Amino acid sequence: MKNRSLVSITDYSKADYLRILDIAEEFEKKSYQNLLNGKVLATLFFEPSTRTRLSFESAINRLGGKVIGFSDANTTSVTKGETLYDTIKVVSNFAELIVMRHPLEGSSRYASEISRVPIINAGDGANQHPTQTLLDLYSIKKTQGTLENLKIFMVGDLKYGRTVHSLLMALSEFGATFYFISPDELKMPTEYKMYLDSCGLKYYELKDLDDSINQADIIYMTRVQKERFSDPIEYERTKNAYVLKRDLMNGVKDTMRVLHPLPRVNEIDTELDDSPYAYYFEQTENGVFVRQAIISLILGLK
Ligand code: CP
């Protein structure tokens, strides 16, 4: 992984995922390690973020590094017409590694082709969010004891949800069976279903959150993303399509856990937060350890 950008989850192999999870486990035991020793890393967020940016910055700080960057491109020379090409050319002179979130699909790949230093994709439009996937894998392994042959329910916005796209591709390496639950307007795109077909993996498309969730090992909830809709009426029609409530948990497996990349809007009732099934806040903490592992491996420090 040394010096390799992480743009799509498929840039890395199954062996790479497992190596990252092993190193993340080491960081979970000892999170503060001065491996970066003052090295400068950049976080460039052209789109809003709470978890991804702050967990990367926490990871860099815990490793003894320094962070430069921005959380709002309106404070940069982008407002004067600076291109992404020029921004990346310049920042790659200032930092050892660039973490970038951008609304355009493919922007991260483009940046990786320009940059002198590795790029980590922190989300590019509706395309990919590979570091979220790695922390999701870590959370699934931690709660289920394995990544192999699990039943994964993906619920909500499966069309624009970059987290489910990356996660599906990673879990296809581990023989998962998928259950897609979404409104018609937000179904899993055909290319991802074709990908599962090519892997010989089963998937089911369901309309409702019903008794079938009793089979679930993981319920992966997602938010209907207002910012991806061009038609506000379509957003209003679909935004509350699925709400996970405590009474739906009657009959689920004891070991089942609910994950969500967050932020949530209405799709998980807060009454679920103190149930044994809720794992979405622990999931965010796992993000720090996994991002420490990714940074350390890319910079050749582990
Ligand atoms: N999971 C996630 O990407 O959250 P943020 O948008 O807050 O970074």
Side-chain angles (χ1 to χ4, degrees), residues 210-217 219 244-258 276-277:
D210 56 19
D211 290 351
S212 60
I213 68 169
N214 294 349
Q215 301 175 56
D217 295 305
I219 299 177
L244 208 57
K245 292 184 188 253
R246 210 171 173 125
D247 56 7
L248 278 165
M249 300 292 105
N250 295 333
V252 298
K253 293 184 188 176
D254 290 346
T255 52
M256 189 282 290
R257 291 293 176 271
V258 178
Y277 307 110

Side-chain angles (χ1 to χ4, degrees), residues 88-278:
I88 296 298
K89 276 285 187 200
V90 169
V91 177
S92 63
N93 290 329
F94 299 159
E96 309 277 332
L97 181 153
I98 296 172
V99 178
M100 184 179 89
R101 171 172 288 185
H102 197 285
L104 286 182
E105 294 181 28
S107 51
S108 198
R109 179 72 65 205
Y110 176 66
S112 73
E113 287 161 5
I114 297 162
S115 177
R116 292 170 48 187
V117 298
I119 298 283
I120 297 179
N121 180 6
D124 61 332
N127 186 32
Q128 285 264 325
H129 194 350
T131 66
Q132 176 71 44
T133 293
L134 289 158
L135 78 90
D136 292 341
L137 292 182
Y138 188 76
S139 301
I140 294 170
K141 184 158 180 252
K142 212 167 139 184
T143 59
Q144 304 301 310
T146 179
L147 289 168
E148 300 288 344
N149 303 316
L150 296 172
K151 291 188 171 158
I152 309 290
F153 282 57
M154 293 179 165
V155 184
D157 178 358
L158 308 185
K159 180 177 177 185
Y160 299 113
R162 57 193 174 203
T163 59
V164 288
H165 300 159
S166 302
L167 184 59
L168 174 151
M169 296 185 101
L171 281 170
S172 68
E173 299 278 358
F174 299 93
T177 303
F178 294 93
Y179 297 76
F180 301 136
I181 302 163
S182 66
D184 280 342
E185 298 90 332
L186 298 174
K187 283 171 95 164
M188 182 62 78
T190 306
E191 65 261 34
Y192 292 102
K193 292 186 271 188
M194 286 171 67
Y195 182 80
L196 294 179
D197 288 335
S198 73
C199 300
L201 293 174
K202 285 192 187 145
Y203 61 85
Y204 302 92
E205 292 190 287
L206 309 174
K207 278 262 170 65
D208 297 310
L209 267 174
D210 56 19
D211 290 351
S212 60
I213 68 169
N214 294 349
Q215 301 175 56
D217 295 305
I218 293 290
I219 299 177
Y220 195 92
M221 293 299 292
T222 62
R223 172 178 67 97
V224 174
Q225 301 177 85
K226 189 176 184 180
E227 65 274 27
R228 311 271 178 234
F229 282 81
S230 49
D231 178 357
I233 295 169
E234 194 180 334
Y235 171 71
E236 289 301 322
R237 198 170 45 238
T238 53
K239 69 177 184 186
N240 290 326
Y242 303 105
V243 180
L244 208 57
K245 292 184 188 253
R246 210 171 173 125
D247 56 7
L248 278 165
M249 300 292 105
N250 295 333
V252 298
K253 293 184 188 176
D254 290 346
T255 52
M256 189 282 290
R257 291 293 176 271
V258 178
L259 302 186
H260 191 312
L262 303 181
R264 74 172 150 187
V265 186
N266 290 325
E267 60 279 2
I268 302 179
D269 197 312
T270 51
E271 68 180 9
L272 207 69
D273 292 359
D274 59 3
S275 85
Y277 307 110

Side-chain angles (χ1 to χ4, degrees), residues 1 12-22 173-174 297:
M1 278 166 266
Y12 284 12
S13 65
K14 180 176 180 179
D16 293 333
Y17 306 157
L18 295 173
R19 172 99 177 114
I20 290 166
L21 302 197
D22 283 348
E173 299 278 358
F174 299 93
L297 287 161

